[in-house]
Amino acid sequence: MAILGIDLGTTNSLACVWKDGRPELVKNSLGELLTPSVVCLDEEGNLTVGAVAREQLITAPENTAAAFKRWMGTQKTFTLGEKTFTPPELSALVLEKLRRDAEAALGEEVTEAVISVPAYFNDNQRSATKLAAQLAGLKTERIINEPSAAALAYRLASGEEDACLIIFDFGGGTLDVSVVECFENVIEITAIAGDNRLGGNDIDEAIARYFCAYNGIPQNVLSAEQQAMLLRQAERCKCALSWSAMSVMVLPGPDGTTYNLTLTRDLLAKLCEELFGRMKKVLARAIRDSGRGIGEIDHVILVGGSSKLAVLPDFLGSLFGKPPLMLDDPDTIVARGVGICAGIKERKGEIRDIVMTDVCPFTLGTSVVDNDKDQNPHMAVMIERNSVLPISRSDRFYTTRDNQEKIRVDILQGEEYYAKDNLKLGEVVITVPPEPAGKQWVKTTFTYDINGVLQVDVENTSTARKKTAYVVNPSLHLSEEELERKLQELAAIRRELTQSEEEQLLLATAERIFAESTGRLREAVGKVLTAYRGALEDQSPSRRHRARKWMKEQLDTLEKYQDSGVFDPEIPDSWEDDGR
Ligand code: AMP
């Protein structure tokens, strides 16, 4: 009995099986490879899934659900007609269609699947995917990361076993970059980075904005329909440039006139400049986190619909000094990789088993106060994002008050500088003998295993007391109530802000750079942030002015050298005028 490999995508899903020594994509009931991940249930109770439902997305949006993959692992529900669905239930309907269509195409029953998920999916999201499979009548023992699947497909197609790859997955709404190292029978993801607001849609919008500016159309005079039409035209012309040198956009104007724009590759490249800048940052972050240099990357593999963008090969080619590789169709690479994985699972003799390792996609840490001037606890990093799993790290934390009787170790997840801005997963509280501040300490160990289980051990050696906490599902997502509460908290924080806009911007920029950096650079940025936050407690305008000037200099240096990872700031002892 065949095991079905499934790429369960946000926009489209695909199925693939291992057959005659190679992966073979399976066509759906319409004879197509791609099945849109869309579900519609009309008032009469008629259920449609796939291409038909995608049409109904426009005609009956209130009865149709799409892009529910983004909500896997959360509490969100979708109401279609009179029924309410969870994201795993909707995914199950897509999986069930893939299963039935595959059974018809293969002429045999299918009861087991291997499914791919984004590398950044946490345990909750993976469990939700398994639940969806279960609801669709599919046993799923193996979940594979999408970049690992793409790397598997590349290995089989190229015959190259040892390579350091960048999997560049550029879709409609997101960019996911992974550094994947392949050697012998191991596929190891060594770093992931992404931007979930950078996709093909942003290019369509940039083209539409330029169209309006070029024709002197104020953005706000277009009706919703005209805007939608303009965006569709922009997308069509963008895609057409993949095979023709130019394409023309035409929009009806007032009194029978028309607005026009001729789109060329040069113009498209110009309109993509800002997006390319952001792409460069994501790439730089992934490469830096992987510990490799740009020259050590053997190939950039293109994945996802937007990687067909006509001007992308030139941009990536000039960045890496070699053109990126597109294996057949970038929409099907992940599915083919999952098909290979299904073959491995079937223990087909012609492919040997592969060991796939994973990384922790987020930073884990605890909160500390280590500065008299800034009493707001900040994040002390224990496990840096993109650490290869399993991993274990220890550190000591000391009492900060005389006669302190308890030490509380918060368990936090996130990339923000201040503890309160990260997600709290739990805490461990331990009693210590009352003594002067800084005398007593606890040894704290964070261990994160391959199954996404985080164990935190806290030990006070003077009393030999030890406590352990397990956090099984470190979730990146908040429930709706938690989200509401967070939003209200944020609104309250905003009202409390007394600093000038410039000071807010300096702080926010530094916090962003802190979130983007790792290792010693992150530590250095943390020091600068703490020093500046301390300066903001000061009421003297001249001292604040000097601190602002200093902070601006630090940020300028940082923006320049962030990519090299070298930054060694000198923290001033005071903000008094010393003639600088
Ligand atoms: P995906 O989410 O991977 O299905 O990607 C969908 C995105 O790919 C949409 O934004 C499309 O506009 C984009 N796309 C598809 N074909 C092309 C093409 N030839 N050139 C540029 N973008 C494309």
Side-chain angles (χ1 to χ4, degrees), residues 40-314:
C40 179
L41 182 72
D42 70 14
E43 272 87 8
E44 282 89 54
N46 297 315
L47 178 79
T48 53
V49 180
V52 183
R54 186 180 54 190
E55 298 300 325
Q56 289 161 311
L57 198 53
I58 298 155
T59 54
E62 66 287 357
N63 292 335
T64 315
F68 32 85
K69 179 175 171 179
R70 291 187 208 284
W71 301 95
M72 288 295 258
T74 71
Q75 306 300 316
K76 185 178 164 71
T77 54
F78 292 76
T79 305
L80 309 185
E82 289 172 354
K83 273 196 81 124
T84 301
F85 296 91
T86 63
E89 285 166 346
L90 292 168
S91 303
L93 292 168
V94 175
L95 290 172
E96 190 172 18
K97 175 166 171 55
L98 293 170
R99 176 173 67 79
R100 284 178 194 276
D101 286 358
E103 282 176 344
L106 302 170
E108 60 178 310
E109 201 191 355
V110 175
T111 55
E112 189 174 349
V114 177
I115 302 179
S116 60
V117 296
Y120 58 79
F121 255 29
N122 63 26
D123 197 49
N124 266 353
Q125 294 162 304
R126 286 166 202 260
S127 304
T129 307
K130 280 192 172 174
L131 173 65
Q134 213 177 2
L135 295 172
L138 289 164
K139 188 171 101 182
T140 308
E141 282 171 2
R142 206 173 250 194
I143 294 269
I144 176 177
N145 288 318
E146 289 164 6
S148 306
L152 262 180
Y154 169 77
R155 270 168 60 125
L156 190 78
S158 68
E160 192 179 3
E161 289 225 325
D162 295 353
C164 180
L165 307 174
I166 282 199
I167 307 296
F168 188 88
D169 187 347
F170 190 27
T174 57
L175 170 69
D176 293 313
V177 171
S178 319
V179 180
V180 183
E181 306 218 12
C182 308
F183 51 94
E184 293 169 0
N185 68 333
V186 177
I187 290 189
E188 180 178 356
I189 301 182
T190 52
I192 55 178
D195 187 333
N196 58 10
R197 284 167 206 276
L198 174 53
N201 301 343
D202 299 282
I203 300 172
D204 305 341
E205 275 166 26
I207 297 172
R209 272 199 305 276
Y210 183 81
F211 182 93
C212 289
Y214 179 79
N215 284 291
I217 313 169
Q219 283 265 331
N220 51 3
V221 304
L222 294 181
S223 66
E225 289 79 38
Q226 281 175 312
Q227 295 236 16
M229 198 195 300
L230 183 58
L231 280 174
R232 272 202 300 277
Q233 283 235 15
E235 183 181 14
R236 191 182 48 75
C237 288
K238 168 191 77 174
C239 295
L241 287 186
S242 295
W243 51 87
S244 66
M246 61 172 71
S247 56
V248 180
M249 288 173 71
V250 185
L251 191 76
D255 311 324
T257 60
T258 54
Y259 298 117
N260 299 292
L261 174 71
T262 302
L263 197 64
T264 60
R265 290 188 184 165
D266 283 348
L267 178 56
L268 181 63
K270 198 164 148 260
L271 297 178
C272 288
E273 261 169 21
E274 195 256 338
L275 299 172
F276 284 165
R278 285 164 59 197
M279 255 178 214
K280 241 188 207 170
K281 287 200 166 143
V282 175
L283 282 162
R285 204 168 102 187
I287 295 172
R288 195 177 51 225
D289 283 2
S290 75
R292 293 290 199 139
I294 194 164
E296 292 175 272
I297 305 296
D298 295 312
H299 302 291
V300 179
I301 312 288
L302 297 177
V303 179
S306 292
S307 67
K308 286 181 260 183
L309 183 71
V311 293
L312 192 63
D314 279 353

Side-chain angles (χ1 to χ4, degrees), residues 445-459:
T445 308
F446 275 50
T447 308
Y448 195 61
D449 77 7
I450 194 84
N451 299 314
V453 178
L454 171 67
Q455 177 180 339
V456 176
D457 296 300
V458 179
E459 193 179 356

Side-chain angles (χ1 to χ4, degrees), residues 452-520:
V453 178
L454 171 67
Q455 177 180 339
V456 176
D457 296 300
V458 179
E459 193 179 356
N460 177 243
T461 35
S462 72
T463 56
R465 256 192 215 108
K466 188 173 172 179
K467 275 199 178 175
T468 299
Y470 293 96
V471 184
V472 182
N473 289 327
S475 166
L476 279 176
H477 289 280
L478 304 174
S479 70
E480 280 184 17
E481 296 86 66
E482 282 172 323
L483 186 68
E484 186 54 36
R485 190 168 47 80
K486 271 248 170 225
L487 284 175
Q488 282 176 3
E489 279 171 16
L490 282 177
I493 292 167
R494 254 182 242 119
R495 272 197 298 277
E496 281 166 22
L497 278 176
T498 51
Q499 295 131 19
S500 74
E501 213 170 40
E502 192 188 358
E503 286 172 340
Q504 285 176 37
L505 180 65
L506 289 172
L507 264 185
T509 310
E511 284 167 4
R512 190 246 315 149
I513 298 176
F514 180 84
E516 282 177 353
S517 47
T518 54
R520 286 189 50 205

Side-chain angles (χ1 to χ4, degrees), residues 313-330:
D314 279 353
F315 162 69
L316 291 173
S318 65
L319 209 60
F320 287 90
K322 54 195 151 213
L325 300 182
M326 192 180 285
L327 308 175
D328 296 337
D329 184 355

